[in-house]
Amino acid sequence: MHITDAHIRSELAKLEIELRPGTALSTLTSLGIGGSTDLLRIRRHESLPALLDLLDRHHVPHKFLGGGSNLLIDDGELPWVVVQLVKPEPELRLEGNLAHVSAAADLGRTVTFCARHNLGGMEGLIGVPGTVGGALRMNAGAYGTQIGNYVREVQVYRAARRRIEILRGEQISFEYRHTSFAAGDMMLAVTLALPSKPYQEILEGIRICNEKRRSSQPMGQKSAGCIFKNPPGASAGRLIDELGLKGRNVGDARVSDRHANFFVNSGQASASDMFRLIAQVSAEVEKAYGVKLENEVVVWSS
Ligand code: EPU
């Protein structure tokens, strides 16, 4: 979608919002898949309510983009614009056991920065790609930990009320890869309360998680992490593997040889290749086990 209206463009400039017309979203997703649309980059959180009023008044649909690491975006010209926060400086500030972090901050760098200041707990999240905001929205987790466990407070733009609010951790429900945030909420910043731990001990935890990940997940390949949620009491990766589906492909969309719940883009895969692969694999799993797999990856179809 292209914003051509001169009035909207001048309002965006007044709000100090950078417009990047016709951005290829494939450059902003870890899968390397996604069509094109206008990208709006926000420097000041306070301009969000005014921006969204402006977009609504002119009937311009929008979506919020985090780190693009758990996202499958459709091909072609997309019917909505994309809004993204620009990382503020500094992106992270410590105050005793509390870490005040921008939603745009990189999750991995946040874990290591806190570690260097003897704040632990999040070792399992090392290697989970993406931003802190994205991790928060999905309640990212790995190796027995999840980000929701450490949330003290979240600053969020609440679309339904059209304003920025501060929520306490207890007001948010964090479940398996799911939170009580509404679809139109945009994460702005979070305060994490982290347990004190000696740096060396945290490093050792990080090393173990890195090793586990390296031995079981495809690294350095374009993917969106796990495609499906694990069904209760089972592992989607194991179910798919047991059906011999590793290496199955539709075009360049391929079931990883390493971990069957990771689907990789081995070249020029399109979203439609990936959608077809997802449909094939879930149909085979349902036929064999009677289990309907649910997507873990977030899908933006046009
Ligand atoms: N397995 C296979 N074949 C495979 C993959 C896995 O047999 O191709 C077996 C493993 O050998 C193991 C079991 O299945 O016995 C579970 O596998 P793994 O430990 O890799 O964990 P998972 O359940 O597949 C979950 C999360 C991952 C997270 C890991 C580590 C989901 C959907 N997946 O995977 O998260 O990194 O645990 O904690 O919750 C993600 O959210 O995108 C993600 C990758």
Side-chain angles (χ1 to χ4, degrees):
M1 165 160 242
H2 287 297
I3 297 179
T4 46
D5 186 312
H7 168 71
I8 307 182
R9 284 178 169 239
S10 83
E11 290 296 308
L12 290 176
K14 274 188 217 154
L15 293 169
E16 291 175 46
I17 288 162
E18 182 197 349
L19 170 65
R20 292 194 180 169
T23 300
L25 297 187
S26 56
T27 60
L28 299 178
T29 60
S30 57
L31 263 175
I33 292 177
S36 69
T37 190
D38 284 1
L39 177 69
L40 303 177
R41 298 187 11 113
I42 304 183
R43 257 162 241 290
R44 291 185 300 113
H45 295 173
E46 312 81 71
S47 49
L48 253 176
L51 167 66
L52 296 172
D53 280 348
L54 178 72
L55 296 179
D56 282 359
R57 271 202 316 279
H58 293 85
H59 310 289
V60 177
H62 69 274
K63 289 189 181 287
F64 295 125
L65 177 67
S69 60
N70 190 38
L71 192 56
L72 171 53
I73 305 181
D74 220 335
D75 305 312
E77 181 64 39
L78 301 166
W80 13 261
V81 299
V82 165
V83 177
Q84 192 180 35
L85 286 183
V86 175
K87 228 182 295 187
E89 284 291 338
E91 58 188 60
L92 199 161
R93 190 170 53 79
L94 297 179
E95 185 191 345
N97 275 37
L98 302 179
H100 304 285
V101 198
S102 158
D106 177 77
L107 179 63
R109 277 217 300 278
T110 300
V111 173
T112 50
F113 183 93
C114 292
R116 279 199 298 278
H117 292 85
N118 305 305
L119 294 176
M122 299 196 292
E123 293 85 331
L125 293 173
I126 201 75
V128 173
T131 59
V132 168
L136 191 61
R137 173 156 245 317
M138 294 292 299
N139 190 20
Y143 305 115
T145 189
Q146 51 177 30
I147 193 165
N149 295 350
Y150 303 103
V151 172
R152 168 68 64 90
E153 208 170 83
V154 177
Q155 190 192 25
V156 55
Y157 169 78
R158 307 220 84 175
R161 302 198 192 172
R162 296 171 165 270
R163 61 172 196 225
I164 294 173
E165 288 182 10
I166 308 265
L167 300 179
R168 287 190 318 280
E170 315 84 76
Q171 293 174 276
I172 307 160
S173 99
F174 290 100
E175 290 150 55
Y176 169 63
R177 301 299 192 272
H178 180 83
T179 60
S180 51
F181 292 113
D185 289 350
M186 183 180 199
M187 308 299 119
L188 300 175
V190 60
T191 299
L192 301 166
L194 300 169
S196 297
K197 253 193 211 181
Y199 180 43
Q200 285 309 322
E201 205 178 295
I202 305 174
L203 266 192
E204 180 57 13
I206 286 178
R207 195 188 59 75
I208 292 169
C209 291
N210 270 332
E211 222 158 72
K212 281 193 199 158
R213 201 177 284 278
R214 255 196 302 276
S215 68
S216 64
Q217 297 182 0
M219 312 290 280
Q221 277 179 290
K222 292 181 189 167
S223 87
C226 287
I227 284 285
F228 300 110
K229 290 186 183 178
N230 282 335
S235 156
R238 182 186 300 208
L239 298 181
I240 299 166
D241 191 2
E242 280 173 1
L243 292 176
L245 294 175
K246 278 182 170 171
R248 165 72 67 91
N249 75 299
V250 175
D252 283 338
R254 184 177 295 276
V255 177
S256 161
D257 294 316
R258 208 74 214 286
H259 193 298
N261 197 13
F262 279 63
F263 292 11
V264 300
N265 171 5
S266 61
Q268 303 294 319
S270 63
S272 84
D273 294 334
M274 206 45 93
F275 291 142
R276 278 168 54 207
L277 185 63
I278 291 173
Q280 279 184 20
V281 170
S282 57
E284 294 199 27
V285 166
E286 188 168 4
K287 189 160 156 243
Y289 305 102
V291 172
K292 227 179 162 57
L293 291 176
E294 225 183 282
N295 284 346
E296 197 272 337
V297 66
V298 175
V299 175
W300 289 359
S301 37
S302 55

